[in-house]
Amino acid sequence: PDIIYRIVDCLVNVFSCHGYAITTIEGIGSKKKGYHPVQARLAQFNGTQCGYCSPGMVMNMYSLLEGKQVTMKDVENSFGGNICRCTGYRPILDAFKSLAVDSSEDLRKKVPDIEEMHKVKICERNGKICTGNCSVDDGHNGESHNKNLLAQANAPVHIKLAKDVDWYKVTTLQDIFEIFDKINDAPYRLVAGNTGQGVYRIEEDIRYFIDIGSVGELKTTKMEPNLVVGAGMSLTETMEMFYTLSAENSKFAYTKVLADHIDLIANVPVRNIGTIAGNLCMKNNHNEFPSDMFLMLETVGATINIAEEGNKIVKMSLLSFLDLDLKHKVIHSINLPELDSSYHVRTFKIMPRAQNAHAYVNAGFLFKLKINENGKVLTKPTIVFGGINPEFVHASNTESYINGKNLFDRKVLKTAMKILDAELQLDHVLPDASPAYRKSLAEALFYK
Amino acid sequence: QPLGILVAETNRLALKAVSKVKVEYSGVTKPHTDMQDIINFKDRSRVKVYISANSARADTSDVTHVVKGSFCSGMQYHFTLETQQCICIPVEDGFDVFPSTQYPALTEIAISQFIKIVSHTCMSRIININVRRLGGGFGVKLIRSAQVASACAIAAHHVNGPVRFLMSLETNMEAIGMRCGARIDYEKLQIDEAVEIDIYEDAGISWNEKYATGTLSGFKNCYESSDWKINVLGVRTDIPTTTWCRGPGSTEGIAGIEHIMEHIAKTVNKDPTQVRLLNMNKNMSSIPQLITDLKINADYNIRKESIDNFNKNNRWVKKGISLVPMAFEVVPFDRYYAMVSIYGPDGSVAIVHGGIECGQGINTKVAQTAAHVLGCSLELVSVKSTNNLITPNNQMTGASITSEASCYSVNECCKELLKRMAPVKKSMKNPSWSELVQKSVEDSINLNTSHMYPYGDVQTKNYYSYGIAITEIELDVLTGRNQICRVDILEDAGKSENPEIDIGQVEGGFIMGLGLWRQEQIIYDPYTGRNLTNRTWNYTPPVSKDIPIDFRIELRKDSPNPFGFTRAKSSTTYQISGWDWESSGTECGPLRRAQRAGGVYMESNTGPNGPNTSFLHIRKRTLNKENKVAFMGNQRDFRVENRENEQRA
């Protein structure tokens, strides 16, 4: 089935779009054709001032509405990737909330006569005024969709971009290693979401681009009996999978905590295409990157599977992965353990604004506890922090100290805090926040 | 610092070429990126007195308390979504220029001066400026757009072909100046000197743009200030020259005096609102009334009580509420043009005016004015690009007066056209608008006219816009994270021309202010002087979930302004009223109170109050029995000091 999602054009390489059907702001409605209700609502609610952010706002809402029942809460949570400097957001959110299934009486009252005012377009199929809520399966948006194009999406492609730049799109793991064989030491880049350049710009001259976004094996999730998650899954796919799984399988109930944390990574369009592997790759390349994905996986004791030449899959801990030379290797999948209800998982991300910023400090805690025995810690807990210094992962001394002790004993807690304070050695690289704040924050999160 | 211009066939190629440029500097010394150092070390060669106002009260015999302190505010990047840019096309008689500017006349002068350097001769008449609209202005396209447009024109002159000049976000943030940082010292408030205030402004590398008058007016706010001695001083640092940014000076000034009011209230142990009322300027009688009204509308007293209870019952989450008044002085300028043409076939109307549409809704208001005065349908009216043929020497679009002034000129044009059509109308029997226009054309009536709004030709003079804001905040004292629960703003908007547009200005200004006071921080490398916060990865303006959960704006009803021509208060003044409200958002306000309730103490402020300055040091507070609480003071100094220690090591 077709998957429709919003992406940001400046992050996606145009060659990655092979097989995409692309709808832009011009495609959904215009002055000539008549406006789409999302566009009309934004104008009606005075949600546009200088107008520069409006196309992005509209497309974000348009794709949110595709085939889904959108609530006001969904609207409120989905615009972290769209900056508006003029309006202060309130009228934009109001406009889009008025299209939600549970829109409030107040908002709906503001809507009448909108069709007349903004010349909303007429549906090509039923001749009535577009309501903006029919799914693509109904063929309403047929003009922008070419099924043949989509069918070609999974064929391998080779494009010569320049005399010494090649673009490959591959569909199997084998293809990737065949290219590795050919290119020797030439600089290459595996391309999936390509969103990492929002964090670290690509400075090297890349000789070979290998688009691995269509390698099915990297997007497969299995139970055997641990959970094996394909590393090529997008963060959005992973999040949705975790929400479903946590509700169905009590051994994986903890994945809800992870899904909630993923909601704090970047923003919707980035999560739509950015992958688990891409995020971990950045952590591998830049150990100082406060990767939320790395943090949450290490918290719950996940391991990583690396595909190497000769059909080999090597399983390793995330800590050893940090030092791994990824040259001519592919992050294949992630193994997540079963954890029963005596395990308590908590993660935190504290950032300078509500959404879409990297953490001052992020933290993950895994404790097997007997709650009613003064919080007896049954096995060595996991205490992981990001944003301390590039090498720091575990508060190992604190973990060892607490093992077997009663966590809710004030004396134990006091000693643990002292040990934690001693082992948190913070670096200070501008423009990051002060070590004093980050240290206190890490300790506060442990206390929380 | 821009060193040169690279022209290429494509933008991508130009950017690649830029990355190949190597610059070697010699004789490098540690730059002054922080004006605090200059002030603290009293380097007078870098300090200039802009204004010295009033003299301090001589008789201080009744002084019972002395309040000393310092208040700082940080820089802010305008973050127009459209960066600085320009297109310049050499044509038969000179250059067609499409700059993104709030000030076409200045752009024209600058280009003309630059072209003169390279080709010995150039006159303003050959520079054809066209501006359709801007993707955000906020003051950064008043002066700096001229620099960018001139660079573009020089390139077009050299290649003798069209050149498009686009600034990347990084270059824009590094090379173009921002809102200036400010520091307000009131430590001189001593018994023998009475009230004396020093306000320092970071000028950047040159003294080009001075906030001083706005700062002075903002600092006086709505208070009786005749015996306060106020010095406004510029400090020359080595960062790019700072420039106008939404509410320049008034933002800093109001936040500063409101901080002091809170400080006084704390010292004399009185209700802060009472302290403000006691200091109120008698000529601003609107303010006490607005305070009373908003307190009732916003259930202030009930909420304050429930917040006190909340704080008693919660150890780690605290709330705070504050009330802050504002008076913003509107100072009219002159030279705002408009031209109106009416067309025979259908009675449609076209307008060119000298203001620039940058999101403030000027075109809507201008069109509304024309439709209202002419008595025709709004749909018949359209507004064209601003150009310097019809609006020569037009004043800038700034200081929140352009909408009002442009509307005035349109109003005059329309009245003149109606006057010309009056005899025709008299000869007809209840003609429709289009019949009247058609007949006027047949009778060869001149249906085109222009007008320039001059200073003093109308009943306009300086006046004040007033407003009150009540803000409630909730703080997690362990992490410093906080959420604005509710904001109520009551704004004296005069008789608003377009309430939706005006509310939009108040809201937008308020949220930009939240960014300034809470989360936007510019950090320079103290050794290289490079701006380390030059893109969205490290500079974080507010996003949609940062706004107040409950956000209520009300314009005061039936309050015509006797000084403006439309009885409105300057149509974009609301922006400024909006952007000063943020001072209630943090500095003197609810965040501080929540912090105090939670035992977080800050002695001085040096930048935005994000989570990183609003937290409680957990280990010391909870686990040691000391009553002392953590002091999270001067972050910026700490950083520099830290680096210096590292270097020494």
Side-chain angles (χ1 to χ4, degrees):
Chain A
D2 298 349
I3 303 164
I4 292 164
Y5 48 80
R6 184 206 166 192
I7 56 175
V8 185
D9 60 1
C10 65
L11 290 177
V12 179
N13 197 305
V14 71
F15 302 105
S16 288
C17 300
H18 181 68
Y20 282 19
I22 298 170
T23 308
T24 63
I25 184 78
E26 293 83 359
I28 72 167
S30 65
K31 191 173 177 179
K32 274 185 194 158
K33 279 197 287 187
Y35 290 111
H36 188 274
V38 174
Q39 295 171 308
R41 278 302 150 88
L42 190 67
Q44 165 82 353
F45 279 77
N46 217 29
T48 174
Q49 286 185 23
C50 87
Y52 257 61
C53 74
S54 305
M57 293 287 180
V58 166
M59 291 313 285
N60 201 42
M61 186 60 199
Y62 173 83
S63 50
L64 201 63
L65 284 171
E66 284 296 334
K68 267 176 254 155
Q69 295 273 300
V70 175
T71 62
M72 297 215 290
K73 206 176 160 190
D74 292 333
V75 172
E76 208 168 271
N77 202 41
S78 302
F79 285 79
N82 295 69
I83 290 176
C84 169
R85 195 53 141 172
C86 298
T87 65
Y89 302 103
R90 198 273 313 155
I92 299 174
L93 291 177
D94 274 2
F96 294 159
K97 282 176 178 172
S98 79
L99 291 159
V101 287
D102 59 345
S103 63
S104 65
E105 185 70 35
D106 282 8
L107 293 177
R108 266 178 283 132
K109 257 193 262 166
K110 287 191 187 170
V111 179
D113 299 336
I114 179 172
E115 286 79 10
E116 206 175 296
M117 278 186 69
H118 295 283
K119 301 186 179 66
V120 172
K121 68 180 180 184
I122 303 297
C123 177
E124 287 175 3
R125 206 166 90 160
N126 62 19
K128 290 182 185 156
I129 282 168
C130 175
T131 54
N133 59 6
C134 57
S135 76
V136 174
D137 289 341
D138 297 340
H140 281 222
N141 293 350
E143 57 192 311
S144 63
H145 273 254
N146 179 337
K147 298 279 177 191
N148 291 335
L149 192 66
L150 289 172
Q152 290 168 21
N154 285 325
V157 175
H158 174 215
I159 307 167
K160 199 96 188 142
L161 300 186
K163 196 169 125 249
D164 45 9
V165 186
D166 287 74
W167 179 278
Y168 288 98
K169 182 198 176 96
V170 297
T171 56
T172 68
L173 207 52
Q174 195 50 42
D175 295 343
I176 305 176
F177 287 102
E178 276 170 21
I179 296 167
F180 284 163
D181 264 354
K182 279 192 291 196
I183 67 176
N184 298 322
D185 287 337
Y188 73 93
R189 187 173 171 92
L190 299 181
V191 181
N194 204 39
T195 55
Q197 60 168 317
V199 183
Y200 299 106
R201 299 278 148 101
I202 308 166
E203 277 166 10
E204 201 183 5
D205 280 329
I206 304 293
R207 175 72 183 79
Y208 297 98
F209 290 92
I210 310 170
D211 178 355
I212 59 171
S214 299
V215 177
E217 195 178 335
L218 298 177
K219 290 177 161 287
T220 318
T221 299
K222 289 176 289 195
M223 278 289 193
E224 43 177 48
N226 280 351
L227 177 63
V228 184
V229 182
M233 285 192 32
S234 74
L235 299 190
T236 301
E237 288 164 345
T238 310
M239 200 170 142
E240 282 165 4
M241 187 268 288
F242 280 166
Y243 278 132
T244 314
L245 179 68
S246 58
E248 286 169 355
N249 186 335
S250 64
K251 295 270 166 62
F252 290 98
Y254 72 88
T255 56
K256 182 182 180 297
V257 178
L258 308 190
D260 287 344
H261 195 119
I262 295 175
D263 190 43
L264 298 175
I265 301 178
N267 54 59
V268 176
V270 166
R271 292 199 298 265
N272 281 342
I273 52 169
T275 61
I276 300 174
N279 191 298
L280 294 177
C281 228
M282 268 199 289
K283 180 72 180 171
N284 173 281
N285 264 325
H286 305 268
N287 285 350
E288 77 278 10
F289 174 56
S291 163
D292 291 294
M293 188 48 77
F294 178 87
L295 174 109
M296 70 176 82
L297 294 176
E298 180 61 14
T299 301
V300 299
T303 53
I304 188 166
N305 301 321
I306 304 290
E308 292 180 6
E309 212 175 341
N311 266 338
K312 266 198 297 182
I313 303 277
V314 180
K315 179 172 159 180
M316 62 175 69
S317 72
L318 283 160
L319 291 178
S320 8
F321 164 78
L322 277 185
D323 301 323
L324 181 73
D325 180 1
L326 272 174
K327 190 182 170 193
H328 292 190
K329 297 190 179 95
V330 177
I331 303 173
H332 182 272
S333 49
I334 309 294
N335 312 304
L336 286 163
E338 293 181 338
L339 295 174
D340 65 41
S341 63
S342 64
Y343 283 93
H344 299 264
V345 182
R346 295 282 183 282
T347 67
F348 297 93
K349 179 179 189 182
I350 309 299
M351 43 188 168
R353 65 179 169 200
Q355 290 181 309
N356 196 21
H358 65 92
Y360 292 119
V361 166
N362 48 10
F365 305 92
L366 175 71
F367 277 76
K368 188 171 166 69
L369 282 184
K370 266 207 170 136
I371 295 279
N372 35 21
E373 281 179 30
N374 213 4
K376 190 173 167 58
V377 180
L378 300 173
T379 58
K380 191 176 161 185
T382 305
I383 304 172
V384 181
F385 292 108
I388 306 297
N389 68 49
E391 289 79 38
F392 190 94
V393 182
H394 283 264
S396 313
N397 298 344
T398 315
E399 288 174 351
S400 305
Y401 169 74
I402 297 178
N403 189 11
K405 304 229 170 33
N406 292 338
L407 189 59
F408 303 154
D409 180 328
R410 196 175 165 80
K411 266 187 201 151
V412 170
L413 186 58
K414 190 170 173 175
T415 313
M417 294 289 275
K418 232 178 218 165
I419 295 171
L420 181 60
D421 190 69
E423 70 179 317
L424 291 172
Q425 297 297 324
L426 286 98
D427 67 350
H428 192 200
V429 180
L430 289 173
D432 288 346
S434 75
Y437 171 59
R438 280 151 52 225
K439 186 168 196 174
S440 180
L441 181 55
E443 292 168 11
L445 294 177
F446 172 68
Y447 183 78
K448 255 179 183 281
Chain B
Q1 183 183 358
L3 295 175
I5 306 161
L6 267 159
V7 188
E9 299 264 317
T10 66
N11 184 249
R12 191 188 159 90
L13 191 59
L15 290 176
K16 194 158 183 182
V18 167
S19 74
K20 304 288 179 200
V21 175
K22 282 211 171 80
V23 182
E24 282 178 23
Y25 293 91
S26 59
V28 178
T29 54
K30 186 172 180 262
H32 287 284
T33 57
D34 191 344
M35 74 168 171
Q36 309 290 344
D37 301 343
I38 296 168
I39 301 168
N40 293 340
F41 293 112
K42 304 197 168 24
D43 179 355
R44 288 288 141 181
S45 67
R46 285 175 172 263
V47 178
K48 198 171 181 173
V49 179
Y50 287 159
I51 300 178
S52 203
N54 302 345
S55 15
R57 188 155 60 114
D59 177 18
T60 56
S61 55
D62 58 342
V63 170
T64 56
H65 293 80
V66 176
V67 181
K68 291 183 195 180
S70 184
F71 169 84
C72 297
S73 61
M75 300 178 66
Q76 183 176 36
Y77 174 60
H78 306 72
F79 222 104
T80 55
L81 289 204
E82 174 204 48
T83 54
Q84 301 278 353
Q85 52 184 298
C86 185
I87 295 170
C88 192
I89 306 165
V91 292
E92 190 183 343
D93 70 329
F95 296 93
D96 283 352
V97 186
F98 301 86
S100 177
T101 183
Q102 292 171 253
Y103 200 171
L106 182 78
T107 305
E108 161 212 298
I109 293 166
I111 292 176
S112 158
Q113 297 291 322
F114 271 94
I115 297 293
K116 222 178 250 175
I117 295 170
V118 290
S119 75
H120 309 297
T121 166
C122 184
M123 286 189 168
S124 283
R125 64 173 163 77
I126 72 161
I127 312 294
N128 313 316
I129 307 263
N130 287 280
V131 185
R132 175 77 255 194
R133 63 171 68 81
L134 310 185
F138 312 121
V140 78
K141 291 169 182 171
L142 286 167
I143 311 285
R144 301 317 155 86
S145 51
Q147 189 183 9
V148 170
S150 302
C152 182
I154 291 216
H157 170 81
H158 277 293
V159 302
N160 199 25
V163 169
R164 185 180 197 197
F165 202 95
L166 284 172
M167 299 274 282
S168 69
L169 177 63
E170 285 97 327
T171 312
N172 218 87
M173 290 191 78
E174 287 169 10
I176 303 291
M178 310 185 192
R179 175 193 290 285
C180 81
R183 168 167 146 179
I184 299 176
D185 284 353
Y186 51 103
E187 72 235 341
K188 288 193 177 176
L189 192 70
Q190 287 166 10
I191 306 234
D192 58 339
E193 289 181 59
V195 183
E196 186 163 344
I197 315 279
D198 285 340
I199 304 178
Y200 296 93
E201 299 176 357
D202 188 346
I205 193 68
S206 72
W207 312 95
N208 206 53
E209 286 115 300
K210 304 179 179 87
Y211 284 18
T213 48
T215 315
L216 185 62
S217 160
F219 188 81
K220 292 176 178 171
N221 200 10
C222 51
Y223 303 114
E224 178 49 54
S225 57
S226 56
D227 58 356
W228 301 353
K229 173 146 184 59
I230 307 168
N231 303 310
V232 188
L233 307 103
V235 181
R236 194 172 61 78
T237 54
D238 295 330
I239 62 170
T241 305
T242 54
T243 190
W244 311 119
C245 181
R246 216 173 190 178
S250 54
T251 304
E252 289 75 14
I254 292 178
I257 189 61
E258 293 308 324
H259 174 85
I260 295 171
M261 287 293 160
E262 288 287 326
H263 198 162
I264 294 170
K266 206 172 127 217
T267 308
V268 301
N269 200 21
K270 272 204 161 104
D271 174 52
T273 307
Q274 205 190 337
V275 171
R276 290 185 168 98
L277 288 169
L278 285 170
N279 282 286
M280 199 59 60
N281 182 337
K282 300 287 175 296
N283 297 328
M284 299 200 185
S285 56
S286 304
I287 294 220
Q289 188 57 47
L290 287 170
I291 290 178
T292 310
D293 292 351
L294 188 62
K295 269 187 159 180
I296 294 166
N297 292 356
D299 297 326
Y300 179 80
N301 293 335
I302 301 166
R303 282 163 64 204
K304 193 163 182 310
E305 201 173 304
S306 88
I307 285 169
D308 291 342
N309 282 329
F310 180 93
N311 288 346
K312 262 181 223 145
N313 298 323
N314 290 277
R315 177 62 189 96
W316 301 122
V317 181
K318 298 289 181 183
K319 286 188 177 186
I321 190 168
S322 78
L323 181 153
V324 173
M326 183 217 66
F328 175 77
E329 189 179 9
V330 179
V331 184
F333 293 128
D334 49 3
R335 298 202 309 280
Y336 288 92
Y337 279 91
M339 178 193 265
V340 178
S341 295
I342 306 176
Y343 299 87
D346 47 20
S348 59
V349 179
I351 301 171
V352 177
H353 62 86
I356 303 295
E357 175 62 66
C358 41
Q360 83 281 45
I362 189 172
N363 284 357
T364 304
K365 287 185 172 177
V366 155
Q368 280 183 311
T369 302
H372 176 72
V373 178
L374 294 173
C376 68
S377 150
L378 184 60
E379 276 166 26
L380 289 176
V381 184
S382 65
V383 180
K384 309 280 182 183
S385 299
T386 301
N387 71 72
N388 64 338
L389 174 64
I390 292 171
T391 68
N393 318 308
N394 201 93
Q395 195 39 280
M396 64 184 179
T397 294
S400 298
I401 50 144
T402 313
S403 293
E404 186 181 10
S406 298
C407 285
Y408 177 86
S409 292
V410 168
N411 182 51
E412 291 301 301
C413 289
C414 293
K415 281 198 316 207
E416 169 64 23
L417 292 169
L418 283 181
K419 205 167 94 190
R420 292 180 195 170
M421 289 191 286
V424 182
K425 193 174 181 182
K426 227 175 181 178
S427 72
M428 300 169 75
K429 207 174 170 190
N430 286 332
S432 69
W433 169 251
S434 67
E435 284 163 356
L436 172 62
V437 173
Q438 227 162 355
K439 184 77 181 19
S440 302
V441 173
E442 282 162 20
D443 291 1
S444 292
I445 304 291
N446 179 357
L447 292 183
N448 168 282
T449 188
S450 74
H451 186 88
M452 187 190 83
Y453 165 91
Y455 187 39
D457 108 329
V458 272
Q459 286 278 313
T460 57
K461 56 179 190 180
N462 292 20
Y463 63 85
Y464 284 85
S465 272
Y466 303 115
I468 313 293
I470 292 178
T471 307
E472 181 183 333
I473 207 164
E474 187 179 294
L475 169 73
D476 174 346
V477 295
L478 289 181
T479 61
R481 287 208 55 183
N482 53 70
Q483 169 75 54
I484 298 174
C485 313
R486 178 170 161 185
V487 172
D488 293 80
I489 294 174
L490 177 57
E491 168 78 29
D492 179 358
K495 192 170 168 233
S496 177
E497 270 177 82
N498 186 325
E500 288 227 36
I501 284 180
D502 296 338
I503 286 173
Q505 293 303 309
V506 176
E507 287 176 332
F510 186 90
I511 301 303
M512 190 160 173
L514 286 189
L516 170 66
W517 297 113
R518 284 158 63 90
Q519 57 202 64
E520 294 175 36
Q521 189 165 23
I522 296 292
I523 295 169
Y524 288 97
D525 186 309
Y527 293 90
T528 65
R530 183 172 193 154
N531 179 0
L532 298 169
T533 43
N534 64 353
R535 58 200 185 104
T536 54
W537 178 249
N538 42 39
Y539 189 75
T540 51
V543 291
S544 60
K545 256 193 158 179
D546 290 308
I547 73 171
I549 293 171
D550 189 350
F551 199 3
R552 308 181 190 193
I553 317 283
E554 197 189 323
L555 304 180
R556 189 179 179 187
K557 289 184 190 79
D558 305 322
S559 157
N561 175 17
F563 303 114
F565 86 93
T566 59
R567 306 281 144 186
K569 286 206 170 174
S570 148
S571 31
T572 43
T573 300
Y574 314 115
Q575 289 182 354
I576 294 186
S577 6
W579 64 60
D580 285 320
W581 294 120
E582 77 298 68
S583 55
S584 69
T586 53
E587 258 336 292
C588 31
L591 181 62
R592 270 300 161 75
R593 285 189 197 149
Q595 285 172 345
R596 266 183 236 139
V600 183
Y601 175 62
M602 288 173 57
E603 192 161 83
S604 69
N605 178 63
T606 57
N609 276 324
N612 56 332
T613 60
S614 310
F615 70 105
L616 179 71
H617 198 301
I618 171 67
R619 195 173 58 84
K620 287 182 188 159
R621 186 71 184 98
T622 58
L623 297 170
N624 296 347
K625 285 205 171 146
E626 300 162 20
N627 264 336
K628 249 188 349 198
V629 292
F631 163 53
M632 289 315 306
N634 199 322
Q635 263 221 46
R636 211 179 305 175
D637 287 353
F638 179 84
R639 283 188 174 125
V640 175
E641 194 185 307
N642 201 43
R643 277 288 289 266
E644 276 163 356
N645 289 340
E646 276 166 28
Q647 290 247 324
R648 272 198 290 275

